[in-house]
Amino acid sequence: PRDEQHRAPTQLVLVLAEGIEAVEAAGQVVRTRLLVLGLAALVAVGVLTAWILARQLRPLRALTAALSRIDDRHLAIRLPVAGQPAELAAPVRTLNDLLERLDASFAREREFTANVGHELRTPLAGLRTLLEVSARAPRPDDLGAALAIVVQMCHVVENLLMLARVDAGQLEVLRGRVGIRALVDDCWQPHAAAAARRGLALRNLIPDDAIAITDRDKLRVVIGN
């Protein structure tokens, strides 16, 4: 304050005040807008995240659907590798390799079952015929012939069981020096009589010094087959 009359100085106390209602109203507006924008941003982020996840998981769902169609009768189905994300390409290739090995294993099992039926059908039919004939008119040689067929069937069963153990990795291989020519002659002896009746002969052209380092008994099965 200014004193125009130049009177003695006087100590004055000046108090100024202003209401803050407008400031509070503006702050409330700002808070409301921030809350609305935050909620909108959260909704947008949630929707975008769900869309991205759905898009990224689409190959996985397709892979799951393809896997659900595979069973023991449809092992030839292979999973698609093209179009898979980089993270799934390697596992898909590994699964395809596994399916290929399973398909081959089931094929070997079916082939083995067919071989068992084929190997046993002939001696069983011969034994049945021999027993039926012997039941009508017994002959002295019938018992010996039946025993020979039973022995043949035992050998077939033993060979099939051994092959099954070999396939399962449960059979020990005892390696040694084996003379191939002598082994072939030895394996031929059980079949020589039947071959002679058919007019067949074996010429063993294997050199005398042909030696193999292998399991003699297992090789005998291979040559016999």
Side-chain angles (χ1 to χ4, degrees):
R2 184 176 57 185
D3 187 3
E4 298 293 343
Q5 299 177 3
H6 303 288
R7 291 175 295 183
T10 302
Q11 185 177 0
L12 300 176
V13 178
L14 181 63
V15 179
L16 300 178
E18 184 178 359
I20 60 172
E21 290 79 4
V23 176
E24 290 181 348
Q28 184 63 34
V29 172
V30 171
R31 286 194 297 270
T32 303
R33 291 179 178 177
L34 288 177
L35 180 60
V36 172
L37 290 176
L39 291 176
L42 286 177
V43 172
V45 170
V47 172
L48 182 62
T49 302
W51 179 77
I52 293 176
L53 288 177
R55 184 175 182 181
Q56 294 298 324
L57 293 178
R58 192 179 305 160
L60 188 59
R61 288 196 295 268
L63 186 61
T64 303
L67 284 172
S68 64
R69 293 193 297 269
I70 299 175
D71 53 21
D72 57 344
R73 298 184 301 274
H74 301 89
L75 289 175
I77 298 177
R78 294 296 178 266
L79 303 174
V81 179
Q84 296 289 350
E87 296 80 3
L88 291 178
V92 167
R93 284 192 292 267
T94 302
L95 284 174
N96 283 336
D97 293 339
L98 176 60
L99 289 173
E100 186 174 354
R101 292 194 297 269
L102 283 175
D103 192 15
S105 178
F106 272 76
R108 287 196 302 269
E109 182 180 351
R110 290 190 291 267
E111 183 180 0
F112 179 78
T113 303
N115 288 337
V116 169
H118 176 73
E119 292 290 340
L120 294 179
R121 180 175 56 188
T122 300
L124 283 175
L127 182 61
R128 177 179 178 179
T129 302
L130 181 62
L131 293 177
E132 290 175 349
V133 172
S134 179
R136 295 189 182 95
R139 294 176 298 178
D141 297 336
D142 288 348
L143 183 59
L147 180 60
I149 293 177
V150 171
V151 171
Q152 178 187 359
M153 290 175 57
C154 290
H155 286 310
V156 170
V157 172
E158 290 175 358
N159 291 339
L160 291 173
L161 290 176
M162 186 182 66
L163 291 175
R165 289 195 295 268
V166 168
D167 189 51
Q170 301 174 351
L171 196 64
E172 183 181 3
V173 177
L174 303 177
R175 299 182 183 275
R177 292 174 59 85
V178 179
I180 304 300
R181 182 183 178 89
L183 182 61
V184 170
D185 288 336
D186 190 22
C187 293
W188 173 252
Q189 291 304 319
H191 310 285
R197 289 193 296 270
R198 289 185 168 187
L200 301 176
L202 172 69
R203 295 178 58 199
N204 191 346
L205 303 179
I206 301 175
D208 294 333
D209 57 350
I211 301 296
I213 307 299
T214 183
D215 191 312
R216 182 182 181 86
D217 295 334
K218 312 304 182 295
L219 184 59
R220 180 191 296 275
V221 173
V222 175
I223 297 177
N225 288 336

